[in-house]
Amino acid sequence: MNVVELPADLQARHDEATTRAGELRDQIEHLMAALAETEARLTDLATTRKVIAELVPTGAESEPPESASAYQAIPNVFNRHPVQEFRVRDLHEFLGMPTDDPAMNVSRSRLGRLTRQGFLTPPGRDLYQKRT
């Protein structure tokens, strides 16, 4: 490159850098707007959580979320005993679960869902068995 071409080359590089700087400024503006929206959403969520926490009666314990092991216990029994037929009460006794109506109704619901999904089959009234 000779001395005559140098100023033109420098101008081209300057123009490229100016264009790139403009693109980066645009990206920064976009990111700043997105950040402001997200921070506003976080503030709204924190306020909502605070309001809900104030509305929940103090001293009232909510039921703990059901553990995955309790939810998985029923299919595990059928996997271990694929030919055995179970009634809901027998299943609860086998698992050492409470045999009160609300607890057994939850299990009936699960057994119905497992039947609809094709995991279980009802060989008789109120009987469940693993589909083979």
Side-chain angles (χ1 to χ4, degrees):
M1 176 179 308
N2 63 33
V3 175
V4 175
E5 297 171 345
L6 186 58
D9 183 56
L10 287 174
Q11 184 62 44
R13 290 182 187 195
H14 181 269
D15 293 344
E16 288 174 13
T18 301
T19 301
R20 179 69 178 141
E23 292 170 353
L24 291 172
R25 282 188 201 96
D26 290 343
Q27 287 179 2
I28 289 170
E29 288 176 23
H30 174 73
L31 291 172
M32 291 295 288
L35 177 61
E37 289 175 19
T38 303
E39 287 176 338
R41 178 76 174 137
L42 285 170
T43 301
D44 291 345
L45 290 170
T47 301
T48 302
R49 186 178 336 134
K50 186 176 180 180
V51 168
I52 290 172
E54 290 174 0
L55 293 175
V56 173
T58 58
E61 290 187 28
S62 62
E63 292 185 25
E66 189 171 34
S67 69
S69 60
Y71 183 80
Q72 189 62 34
I74 293 173
N76 287 343
V77 168
F78 286 101
N79 284 330
R80 288 191 307 261
H81 307 282
V83 296
Q84 187 171 347
E85 298 173 353
F86 287 96
R87 293 191 185 282
V88 177
R89 182 172 297 280
D90 299 334
L91 188 62
H92 272 242
E93 289 172 356
F94 184 82
L95 290 170
M97 296 170 69
T99 56
D100 60 335
D101 285 338
M104 291 195 334
N105 285 337
V106 170
S107 293
R108 276 188 191 89
S109 174
R110 286 189 188 127
L111 292 168
R113 188 177 322 118
L114 291 168
T115 300
R116 287 188 302 277
Q117 292 172 347
F119 180 77
L120 299 178
T121 184
R125 183 175 166 89
D126 294 330
L127 286 173
Y128 299 92
Q129 182 180 25
K130 183 171 181 181
R131 184 177 300 250
T132 54

